[in-house]
Amino acid sequence: MKGFEYLQEELDQMKEEGTFRELIPLESPQGSKVSIKGKEVIQLSSNNYLGLTSHPRLKDAAVKAVEEYGVGTGSVRTIAGTLAMHEAFEEKLAAFKHTEAALVFQSGFTTNQGVLSSMLTDKDVVISDELNHASIIDGIRLTKCAKKIYKHVDMKSLQEKLEESKEYRTKLIVTDGVFSMDGNIAPLPEIVELAEQYGALIMVDDAHASGVLGENGRGTVNHFGLDGRVHIQVGTLSKAIGVLGGYVATTKTLKEYLIHKGRPFLFSTSHPPAVTAACDAAIDVLLEEPELMQKLWDNRAFFKEGLENLGFDTGISETPITPVLIGDDAVTHQFSDELFKEGVFAQGIVFPTVPKGKGRIRTIVTAEHSKEELQEALQAFERAGNTLNLL
Ligand SMILES: *Cc1c(COP(=O)(O)O)cnc(C)c1O
C-alpha cells in the first residue's frame, strides 16, 4: 500500500544507524529465567520486582474473578463499567497509601496524562524535573499552563523556577520518585521544604517505587516519612504489583474532579475483573509477605556489589535498578548481545532514551532470583566484559 514511504525512509535510516530494534518475544511466563529464541536465559530486564506476575494468590484471584464476573466490563467507569470491586480496591489502595482517596486509571501512563492534562489551566504553572518519564512530558504537553523544566534533582534550579513562578495560581512541582534509567531517588525532603516555602503542590510518580520503597512498598513519600505532605502520588500496578494499571492517591477533591475531567478515565473502558482482583490480592501480598521486599533488596545488594567488584560502573543507583554504564551506543548493544550468548537477557539502553555516549545495560533484579542465578549472571557479565575488553 502506498503512502508510508516517508516513514519507511526513517526506519531505513534507523537501521543504518543501528538504532532499529526488533521486539523480543518471551516463549515462557515472565520470571527469573525466561525462554527467548528457544534458549533459557536469566531475566534481568523486567520490572517484575517482587515476582508477582505469577504469584499464586494473584493468579487464583484472577481466575475466580473471571469465573464470577467474566472477562470484560463492557463500559467506561463513568457510564456502566464501575464494578463494586473497582471501588473496594480503590478504598484499599487509599488506606494502603495513607491518603484520603485513590482513583485507578487504565495504566500509569494514562494516570499521568489524565491528572496533568485536567487539573492545570493557563492560570497555573507546572515545574518538572528534566528527566521525568515520557508520560509526564506528554501530560504536560496537553495542558495550557506555563511550563518550566528544572535541572535533574537540582534544588537550586528548582528554587529559581519557583521564584519565577510567584504570580501563578497553582504551582505544581512534578517528579519521578525513582528515576528509571539511573535508579536514583528524587530528593523529596528538600522538594517538600521548597514547596511549602513557596506554596506549591507536589506530584510524585512512584512507578518504580510502588512495591519497592517505603513500609510494605508504599513508595517514596512513605520512605522519607512525608505522609500527608505530598499532594498527589501516582503509582503503577504494572511493575512491582505485577498486573496492569495506574492510580492516583490524593485528596477526595482531586479524585472527584478527575472522575469528571480525567479524559482517559472518562473515555476508555474500565479494567477487566481479573485485573482488579489480581491487583487487590497484590496489596494483600505486600502487607502479608514483606519477605518478598526483603529478598528484592538482598538480591540488589548482592548483585550490585558483584558488578562493582568486577570493575563495572553502576552510576548513582540507590534502588534495585542497577545500570551498568558502557558509553558507546554500538558497544552497549554488542555487550547485550554477548550477554545473551552467555545466558543472560539484559537489554541495552541508548540514545534517545539516555543521552548520547551514556549507553548502558539496565538491570533489575527481582525477589524471584536465586543467589545461584545471580552468581551465574555475574559470571556472564565477567565473560562478556572480557570478550569486549571492557574490564
Ligand atoms: C513505567 C512508568 C510509567 C507507566 O506506567 P504503566 O503502568 O506501565 O503505564 C509511568 N511513569 C514512570 C516513571 C514509569 O517508569
Side-chain angles (χ1 to χ4, degrees), residues 368-383:
E368 266 187 320
H369 288 100
S370 66
K371 284 273 152 40
E372 294 69 38
E373 285 169 343
L374 294 179
Q375 191 58 51
E376 237 181 272
L378 288 170
Q379 284 159 1
F381 268 86
E382 184 173 23
R383 288 193 299 268

Side-chain angles (χ1 to χ4, degrees), residues 99-388:
T99 56
E100 249 177 61
L103 187 70
V104 172
F105 284 71
Q106 291 81 359
S107 70
F109 197 105
T110 59
T111 310
N112 279 329
Q113 234 184 17
V115 172
L116 288 162
S117 65
S118 65
M119 69 174 279
L120 298 167
T121 72
D122 57 7
K123 294 193 182 68
D124 308 313
V125 61
V126 63
I127 307 175
S128 177
D129 187 291
E130 66 181 342
L131 293 191
N132 278 343
H133 190 259
S135 54
I136 293 176
I137 295 168
D138 283 12
I140 290 174
R141 280 185 185 152
L142 291 171
T143 77
K144 292 200 171 70
C145 73
K147 293 147 197 172
K148 295 184 191 285
I149 311 294
Y150 66 94
K151 292 203 191 91
H152 180 50
V153 301
D154 182 333
M155 293 301 100
K156 212 168 140 264
S157 173
L158 173 59
Q159 184 160 15
E160 282 165 17
K161 303 295 169 188
L162 283 163
E163 197 62 48
E164 296 165 9
S165 300
K166 286 182 167 161
E167 78 268 29
Y168 293 99
R169 177 184 62 185
T170 294
K171 301 169 266 290
L172 179 68
I173 302 169
V174 52
T175 181
D176 283 10
V178 170
F179 290 89
S180 55
M181 293 304 143
D182 288 299
N184 55 318
I185 305 175
L188 281 190
E190 287 89 341
I191 293 175
V192 166
E193 286 299 322
L194 282 173
E196 288 174 358
Q197 188 183 332
Y198 285 88
L201 304 186
I202 306 174
M203 169 168 167
V204 174
D205 175 358
D206 258 347
H208 281 281
S210 313
V212 174
L213 279 167
E215 194 192 359
N216 299 94
R218 286 180 170 85
T220 49
V221 173
N222 180 269
H223 167 77
F224 284 115
L226 297 169
D227 284 353
R229 293 172 74 186
V230 169
H231 310 77
I232 304 169
Q233 297 180 60
V234 169
T236 180
L237 303 164
S238 328
K239 291 180 172 136
I241 306 305
V243 195
L244 172 72
Y247 60 88
V248 56
T250 185
T251 59
K252 194 160 167 284
T253 302
L254 182 57
K255 173 175 174 162
E256 286 180 349
Y257 189 80
L258 290 169
I259 289 174
H260 292 85
K261 305 276 185 178
R263 291 171 70 82
F265 187 86
L266 287 163
F267 294 110
S268 186
T269 295
S270 55
H271 274 168
V275 167
T276 304
C279 290
D280 195 286
I283 301 301
D284 295 341
V285 170
L286 291 184
L287 292 169
E288 292 162 26
E289 301 180 32
E291 60 275 14
L292 289 175
M293 235 176 92
Q294 191 54 51
K295 177 102 183 295
L296 167 67
W297 282 91
D298 286 351
N299 279 347
R300 178 262 183 186
F302 176 81
F303 191 63
K304 183 178 158 80
E305 193 186 304
L307 286 170
E308 284 168 1
N309 287 342
L310 288 173
F312 287 109
D313 179 0
T314 60
I316 54 171
S317 170
E318 305 164 83
T319 66
I321 298 172
T322 307
V324 176
L325 300 172
I326 305 293
D328 183 75
D329 291 3
V331 178
T332 302
H333 285 315
Q334 274 171 24
F335 190 53
S336 176
D337 294 343
E338 205 58 43
L339 283 169
F340 188 78
K341 286 186 206 152
E342 300 287 353
V344 167
F345 183 65
Q347 285 267 52
I349 304 214
V350 300
F351 183 79
T353 311
V354 294
K356 272 226 160 75
K358 295 270 172 111
R360 69 205 53 196
I361 304 290
R362 189 185 62 159
T363 69
I364 297 181
V365 298
T366 72
E368 266 187 320
H369 288 100
S370 66
K371 284 273 152 40
E372 294 69 38
E373 285 169 343
L374 294 179
Q375 191 58 51
E376 237 181 272
L378 288 170
Q379 284 159 1
F381 268 86
E382 184 173 23
R383 288 193 299 268
N386 284 329
T387 305
L388 295 183

